[in-house]
Amino acid sequence: MKLFLPLTVLILMLSLTLSGQESFTLDQAKQYALKNSLNLKNKQLDLRDVNGQLKEYTAIGLPKLQASASYNYFLKIPTNIFPDFIEPAIYDVLFDENLLPRRDLPAPGGVPVQFGTKHNFSAGLELNTLLFDGVFFLGLKAQRMYRELILRQITLEESSVKHDVSLAYLSALVLEENIQIVNRNLENLRKVKQEVTEIHRAGFLEKLDVDRLDLSVSNLEAELQNLQKLTYVSKNVLKFKMQYPLDKEIVLSDRLASLVNSTYLEVMDPAMGLNLEVRPEFPVLQQSLRLAEINIKRYQMSYYPSLYGFATYQQSLQRNKLFDENDNGWFPSSNVGVQLSWPLFTGFDRTAKIERARVTLERTKVQFTSFEQGAQLEFTNARTSYVNAMVTLENRKKLVGLAEKIYETAKIKFREGVGSSLEVTSAERDLYLSQANLVESQFQLVQAKVNLEKSLGKI
């Protein structure tokens, strides 16, 4: 029972530790980053916003139906002065019939009269629709093209995320590989130190030989601590690129050697060339060019007239007593029509806008040319770096084999008493340096492959 309780606690602690961390291959890390990237989430929000803008702009050209109603109650019905034409007419008749002697009459006065009713209620429908507007139809096409531009920018951002995560993953992986190498070297060096210490105790070696090995062990331990700190920082960078929680542990399940082996599977074809159209930047710039061109056409269409149609239907009720059924009933009215709008002169506003739109088009063309030149340079450099990294890796593999042979020979000579500890220490340093250089060349090869794939538009 005493042994069972600590074992249970140990299993529980191990399960809690494992549940707080996740293991990722390079591909899994890239997929995780694509799902959680804040930049990609912002791009998705941009896409939703553009979809809303497209619907909003489309609504401009759709028919619109509006209902209206109004009610007025006149506490005092408005009074108007109506000309007195009755009295002059009567006098004219009397004068004509010689019933009265003809004479000049004073100017007729006005008669105050009230028109209308106390209660006035009206309700109606109004329909308006756009019949023709060249600016609108080109603008609608531009809105759809802008939506395509956002979709292509999302693809470009995905490529950027995968590239950044790949480099961050490889950097952390190289440090872990170096830690493993240092741990193995430290274990071997401690064994050698133990052997030398026993030989020294037997009186066959000087204390200086033991001290040299002590110094080597201390240097390796310090290097191990430094690598562990760098690994912590490097993993935090990877977590940030992946949008992985910084307070959770992350395990890199890929091995650098396997990534290097998969890199060798892609044989460099001398006929390999750059196809700009598969680069994610190409459709973005191409769509930008189309948008700039259609923007010019949109301003040019503003010289043409716009045609709108409308129709209204209304019912009105006018009563002195609102609910008196014997009073006036409902009076309908309706009309239909069209309206033509043609801006003939706008103070050179359209001319200035067209000129600015042409400048935007020329600027986009310059950006496209710059992209073509930069992409070609990036591909050439990436391919050269890849070839150089392959050659360097093969050379450093040979150097590691040679350094291991020299180190083993130095240890044998030292054990047999024909070599010095200084020779062993020197061979040991050369071996560690060649091992570190080998790992670095492996990293450079995989990194070069990532950059080459990016330059080819395959990432």
Side-chain angles (χ1 to χ4, degrees):
M1 186 64 182
K2 291 182 179 179
L3 292 176
F4 178 75
L5 183 59
L7 182 61
T8 304
V9 174
L10 181 61
I11 294 174
L12 179 61
M13 291 177 62
L14 181 60
S15 63
L16 290 174
T17 302
L18 293 176
S19 64
Q21 65 185 21
E22 290 187 59
S23 177
F24 292 93
T25 64
L26 177 56
D27 289 336
Q28 290 171 341
K30 289 188 285 189
Q31 292 303 316
Y32 184 95
L34 291 177
K35 292 179 181 178
N36 297 277
S37 170
L38 295 181
N39 288 337
L40 278 175
K41 288 180 179 179
N42 279 331
K43 287 294 181 183
Q44 293 294 338
L45 290 175
D46 289 342
L47 180 60
R48 288 174 56 187
D49 184 50
V50 168
N51 288 334
Q53 290 179 25
L54 182 57
K55 292 178 181 178
E56 182 181 346
Y57 193 84
T58 304
I60 296 175
L62 297 178
K64 296 173 183 61
L65 183 63
Q66 180 177 345
S68 61
S70 65
Y71 169 75
N72 288 312
Y73 174 72
F74 290 100
L75 298 174
K76 292 291 184 180
I77 296 176
T79 300
N80 295 301
I81 303 299
F82 197 75
D84 185 6
F85 59 87
I86 297 177
E87 184 177 347
I90 294 173
Y91 274 106
D92 284 339
V93 172
L94 293 176
F95 292 153
D96 290 341
E97 296 295 331
N98 295 318
L99 297 176
L100 287 175
R102 188 174 294 276
R103 57 185 173 87
D104 293 333
L105 297 174
V111 179
V113 294
Q114 291 180 326
F115 293 98
T117 56
K118 285 184 174 296
H119 299 278
N120 293 270
F121 184 82
S122 64
L125 295 174
E126 182 178 358
L127 177 67
N128 290 281
T129 185
L130 176 66
L131 298 178
F132 173 78
D133 186 353
V135 175
F136 166 75
F137 291 112
L138 278 176
L140 184 60
K141 184 178 180 180
Q143 285 285 339
R144 291 169 179 162
M145 291 174 63
Y146 183 63
R147 182 181 182 277
E148 291 297 321
L149 176 63
I150 295 298
L151 288 172
R152 292 169 183 181
Q153 286 178 345
I154 289 175
T155 302
L156 177 60
E157 183 62 31
E158 288 176 348
S159 174
S160 177
V161 168
K162 289 189 286 187
H163 178 257
D164 292 345
V165 170
S166 296
L167 295 183
Y169 188 98
L170 292 173
S171 297
L173 191 59
V174 165
L175 289 170
E176 285 195 343
E177 295 282 345
N178 278 323
I179 287 176
Q180 293 178 11
I181 292 174
V182 171
N183 276 324
R184 288 196 299 268
N185 291 335
L186 192 57
E187 183 180 355
N188 292 333
L189 189 59
R190 283 169 178 164
K191 290 179 181 179
V192 172
K193 176 190 169 185
Q194 187 176 2
E195 293 176 4
V196 171
T197 302
E198 293 297 328
I199 296 174
H200 166 68
R201 288 174 181 170
F204 295 103
L205 289 176
E206 297 180 358
K207 182 67 167 58
L208 179 61
D209 296 321
V210 178
D211 292 340
R212 283 175 178 161
L213 289 174
D214 276 333
L215 180 61
S216 297
V217 169
S218 298
N219 287 335
L220 274 185
E221 289 174 344
E223 184 179 351
L224 179 62
Q225 292 178 359
N226 185 47
L227 286 173
Q228 288 170 342
K229 293 175 183 178
L230 290 176
T231 302
Y232 175 78
V233 174
S234 182
K235 281 189 173 182
N236 279 342
V237 173
L238 174 60
K239 291 175 187 178
F240 175 76
K241 296 292 185 181
M242 294 172 57
Q243 294 301 314
Y244 185 82
L246 293 177
D247 58 345
K248 289 182 65 177
E249 289 296 324
I250 186 171
V251 177
L252 311 183
S253 55
D254 264 333
R255 297 272 66 86
L256 189 59
S258 64
L259 294 176
V260 170
N261 291 334
S262 67
T263 302
Y264 278 124
L265 297 179
E266 285 200 7
V267 180
M268 292 297 295
D269 183 2
M272 178 186 292
L274 175 63
N275 183 7
L276 287 175
E277 294 184 5
V278 301
R279 288 281 297 255
E281 298 94 334
F282 183 86
V284 172
L285 288 170
Q286 193 177 50
Q287 195 73 353
S288 298
L289 278 174
R290 292 171 181 166
L291 278 170
E293 290 170 351
I294 203 170
N295 199 35
I296 295 175
K297 294 179 181 179
R298 183 170 68 92
Y299 288 128
Q300 290 173 339
M301 287 299 295
S302 65
Y303 285 98
Y304 294 90
S306 302
L307 187 64
Y308 298 85
F310 60 89
T312 60
Y313 177 79
Q314 185 173 338
Q315 291 267 6
S316 62
L317 180 68
Q318 300 178 17
R319 291 178 178 177
N320 285 316
K321 294 182 179 180
L322 184 60
F323 300 104
D324 186 359
E325 295 294 335
N326 296 321
D327 206 340
N328 299 321
W330 290 91
F331 299 101
S333 66
S334 60
N335 70 306
V336 294
V338 292
Q339 179 182 353
L340 182 70
S341 176
W342 195 349
L344 299 177
F345 180 69
T346 59
F348 304 107
D349 175 71
R350 288 174 294 193
T351 305
K353 287 180 177 178
I354 291 173
E355 184 60 31
R356 291 189 61 193
R358 285 175 177 157
V359 171
T360 301
L361 175 61
E362 292 302 318
R363 184 181 291 115
T364 307
K365 288 180 179 179
V366 171
Q367 291 174 351
F368 201 95
T369 303
S370 177
F371 159 71
E372 289 176 336
Q373 295 175 351
Q376 186 63 51
L377 178 63
E378 182 182 0
F379 166 71
T380 303
N381 291 344
R383 183 175 178 176
T384 302
S385 297
Y386 183 83
V387 174
N388 290 342
M390 290 181 65
V391 174
T392 301
L393 180 60
E394 293 302 318
N395 290 335
R396 288 183 176 176
K397 281 182 178 179
K398 296 176 183 178
L399 291 176
V400 168
L402 183 60
E404 287 176 346
K405 186 185 296 185
I406 293 173
Y407 180 58
E408 292 300 325
T409 302
K411 286 198 298 183
I412 292 172
K413 289 174 62 180
F414 180 69
R415 290 192 185 101
E416 293 177 354
V418 293
S420 67
S421 60
L422 186 60
E423 187 178 358
V424 174
T425 304
S426 177
E428 168 207 331
R429 282 196 300 268
D430 292 340
L431 174 60
Y432 297 162
L433 179 61
S434 61
Q435 288 173 336
N437 288 337
L438 177 62
V439 174
E440 179 66 20
S441 63
Q442 289 175 330
F443 167 68
Q444 289 175 353
L445 178 62
V446 181
Q447 183 187 44
K449 183 194 174 186
V450 171
N451 291 331
L452 180 60
E453 288 179 337
K454 178 178 179 293
S455 70
L456 291 170
K458 294 182 178 180
I459 218 172

